[in-house]
Amino acid sequence: MKARHNGEFAYRTVYRYLGELIEQMAPGSYSRLPSLRDLAERLDVSISTVQCAYSMLEHEGRVQPVPKSGYFAKVPPTQVAPSSGDDLLQDLQQHARSTRMLVLSGGQAQTLKSLEASLLGIERQLLRQYPRFAGAPQPCGELELRTVLAARYTRSAQLYWSAEDVYLAPDVRALLETTLAALDLRDSAVLVVTPCSWRLLRVFQAARLRVIEMPLAADGGLDLARFAQLLATEPVRLAMLASRLSVPHGSLMPEACRQAVARLLNRHGVWLLENDQDADLCVHATPAPCLRELVDPRRVMVFSSLERSIGAEAPYAYLLSRHWHGPLHREFLLRGFALPPLRQQAVARLYSKGRIDLHLQQLREYLQERLSHLYQLMQLQLGSQLAFQMPAGGSCIWARVRAPMDTRPLFHRLLQQGLVIAPGELFSLRGDFHQHLRLGWPAGQQDDLQYGLSLLSDELRRTLQVR
């Protein structure tokens, strides 16, 4: 190629070389291509010749330029899994599990180094100390772990919990199903603040409960007049609200609103089911009291998951309730949950040694760094197309398309290009938030994130131009 630096044959040859390189890549992949300088040196041509070849491929839609990162190959999948069309959640889950897809839906578990080695080490110590350890499962969970969890939630002599107030289950779904069965909410309604995790929403839906949704305001507050009206006119017996951080919204409820909500719940005698799953993922400490500290303790239940803080090695969920022992204990006995006693005791020892607190501190710093970087990249590449705020914690960003647009068709178009986002309507049983979406870090490297955001920006721009 050296003899043909300046002729048409040179850039056409570079073009064919890049085309063959792309064809050798896995179908549906998104891979970084050689830089202009590297390719010019490799093929012994000028940088302008390589630039010309890349421009041709970009015009054909086969490569994607990403600012400050270079060019990425856009290899179409040979076989894209068909979409069900009607079941948006099924489509999301099906494609998010595919290794060929770039997942920006923000649903991936964000954890640090696994604690499994520490848990296994403690389990071995327990077996050496108690070689005849029988480990008969307890219906509500191991006493040692329940005692540690009760102590973590105790704030004072007035705001305290004991081990008998704590119930453990295999996961959040099993825990909520058992709790709802104990409460017997037939002929009543459940009030839920949205956007809300689709997993939680579908537990209520499967229980055939009437769900009333209260959308969050931009600042994380609620329409208090509407909230009061619903409690006064509807048969609401249970309200599920976040203790601190509302996910995926990423906001904290203002203090004045929290106080007003607590007063209304007390006035109408409504049970509070406080979702504490993401409280430990707040970026900054929030000294203001949680709702459970403001509501009548006789009508407070708090639930969370060990998986959020520890990881998949401890997927167990727990519930705290002071004044519902009879029905709850009966339901847990009927379910007969057989949780590994040795693993529960090992988790309790990690709490006692302060290992989990250290792990959570490192996890918050890790997530804050990633969220800040995601926020900056979104401002750079999507700031003119999406409206969003820096969240107060968690691992994802809730965004609204500035122009009127339904994100469901956008979701399906991006699937054809190998990109997965989470449409906003998934986070409401009523199908609200059509103009919203949830975004988060992919499982890969920063280049994958930049490429995915660039692809999303291009598709948003193309959609608006067509309209």
Side-chain angles (χ1 to χ4, degrees):
M1 296 185 65
K2 187 174 182 179
R4 302 181 175 87
H5 279 188
N6 301 316
E8 179 182 358
F9 187 76
Y11 74 79
R12 294 294 302 181
T13 302
V14 176
Y15 166 82
R16 282 196 293 273
Y17 171 82
L18 286 169
E20 293 177 1
L21 195 65
I22 293 171
E23 288 174 2
Q24 294 170 7
M25 297 175 178
S29 65
Y30 41 92
S31 303
R32 188 174 184 174
L33 290 165
S35 68
L36 298 177
R37 186 176 300 278
D38 288 345
L39 197 57
E41 293 177 356
R42 180 187 308 177
L43 301 180
D44 197 12
V45 296
S46 66
I47 291 180
S48 61
T49 298
V50 178
Q51 178 69 71
C52 184
Y54 268 127
S55 297
M56 293 172 64
L57 291 167
E58 181 184 354
H59 181 72
E60 296 172 359
R62 299 175 68 187
V63 302
Q64 174 78 30
V66 177
K68 299 182 180 180
S69 294
Y71 287 89
F72 287 76
K74 302 171 64 176
V75 186
T78 54
Q79 182 178 4
V80 177
S83 298
S84 64
D86 295 332
D87 196 331
L88 193 62
L89 179 57
Q90 177 184 329
D91 290 338
L92 173 67
Q93 292 182 299
Q94 177 182 353
H95 289 89
R97 286 194 292 264
S98 172
T99 57
R100 294 183 173 183
M101 305 296 283
L102 175 58
V103 183
L104 291 186
S105 60
Q108 303 91 317
Q110 301 284 346
T111 58
L112 295 171
K113 184 178 179 181
S114 172
L115 290 173
E116 184 175 16
S118 299
L119 289 169
L120 289 173
I122 295 176
E123 288 175 357
R124 285 193 293 268
Q125 291 177 7
L126 289 171
L127 286 174
R128 284 196 298 268
Q129 293 173 3
Y130 310 102
R132 296 184 179 180
F133 180 74
Q138 301 300 312
C140 299
E142 283 299 301
L143 179 61
E144 187 173 352
L145 179 54
R146 290 160 58 201
T147 301
V148 168
L149 291 173
R152 288 181 67 83
Y153 280 83
T154 294
R155 294 290 178 265
S156 66
Q158 291 73 38
L159 301 170
Y160 69 92
W161 302 85
S162 62
E164 66 178 9
D165 300 327
V166 183
Y167 303 82
L168 283 101
D171 52 42
V172 171
R173 185 179 186 91
L175 182 84
L176 291 182
E177 288 174 347
T178 306
T179 303
L180 293 175
L183 290 174
D184 188 16
L185 297 173
R186 288 174 295 181
D187 303 323
S188 60
V190 176
L191 191 147
V192 176
V193 172
T194 55
C196 176
S197 164
W198 57 262
R199 290 182 175 86
L200 301 180
L201 288 173
R202 278 151 184 78
V203 172
F204 292 119
Q205 189 178 48
R208 301 183 181 278
L209 296 175
R210 181 186 170 203
V211 178
I212 299 175
E213 299 185 23
M214 276 290 299
L216 285 168
D219 65 349
L222 296 174
D223 182 340
L224 292 174
R226 175 63 176 160
F227 187 76
Q229 180 187 24
L230 288 172
L231 296 185
T233 60
E234 298 286 353
V236 177
R237 287 184 56 202
L238 180 71
M240 186 178 73
L241 296 99
S243 60
R244 295 193 188 278
L245 183 66
S246 294
V247 173
H249 198 264
S251 61
L252 301 174
M253 184 178 290
E255 173 62 17
C257 183
R258 188 186 300 112
Q259 296 278 353
V261 166
R263 287 194 295 270
L264 287 169
L265 292 175
N266 288 332
R267 182 185 307 165
H268 293 278
V270 175
W271 277 88
L272 168 66
L273 180 61
E274 189 177 69
N275 180 359
D276 201 48
Q277 292 186 93
D278 301 290
D280 287 327
L281 301 183
C282 290
V283 173
H284 303 292
T286 51
C290 297
L291 272 173
R292 62 177 175 267
E293 300 171 25
L294 304 172
V295 174
D296 182 351
R298 295 171 297 178
R299 293 191 172 274
V300 171
M301 293 180 293
V302 184
F303 76 94
S304 188
S305 171
L306 296 176
E307 186 176 13
R308 277 289 207 276
S309 54
I310 300 176
E313 294 77 22
Y316 320 122
Y318 58 88
L319 177 86
L320 292 90
S321 175
R322 290 192 188 92
H323 298 281
W324 203 252
H325 293 308
L328 271 175
H329 193 75
R330 181 176 63 251
E331 287 297 328
F332 274 84
L333 283 173
L334 291 174
R335 300 290 172 123
F337 296 133
L339 309 184
L342 201 60
R343 178 53 54 96
Q344 292 180 74
Q345 291 193 9
V347 171
R349 301 292 171 92
L350 284 183
Y351 272 116
S352 300
K353 294 175 182 292
R355 290 289 304 280
I356 291 181
D357 286 329
L358 176 61
H359 180 78
L360 285 171
Q361 179 183 344
Q362 295 171 342
L363 180 59
R364 281 191 293 269
E365 293 172 355
Y366 169 75
L367 292 178
Q368 182 181 10
E369 180 181 350
R370 289 170 73 90
L371 269 179
S372 297
H373 194 70
L374 173 61
Y375 179 76
Q376 292 169 6
L377 284 177
M378 287 179 62
Q379 281 188 315
L380 180 65
Q381 299 192 44
L382 294 160
S384 62
Q385 299 162 313
L386 300 179
F388 51 90
Q389 302 178 52
M390 180 65 187
S395 60
C396 60
I397 291 181
W398 183 251
R400 176 180 58 82
V401 182
R402 293 184 183 274
M405 175 189 295
D406 188 344
T407 54
R408 178 189 281 249
L410 174 69
F411 164 75
H412 287 295
R413 288 195 300 273
L414 288 171
L415 285 183
Q416 299 302 315
Q417 302 179 58
L419 182 66
V420 180
I421 62 170
E425 65 177 282
L426 282 173
F427 304 91
S428 164
L429 292 177
R430 300 187 310 190
D432 291 347
F433 311 112
H434 282 277
Q435 210 168 321
H436 293 75
L437 49 91
R438 184 187 69 180
L439 296 175
W441 269 79
Q445 303 299 315
Q446 180 177 329
D447 288 343
D448 295 338
L449 174 61
Q450 292 176 321
Y451 170 78
L453 295 179
S454 180
L455 196 62
L456 173 58
S457 177
D458 287 347
E459 188 58 43
L460 285 169
R461 188 180 303 110
R462 187 158 37 247
T463 301
L464 293 176
Q465 288 175 348
V466 170
R467 294 175 61 189

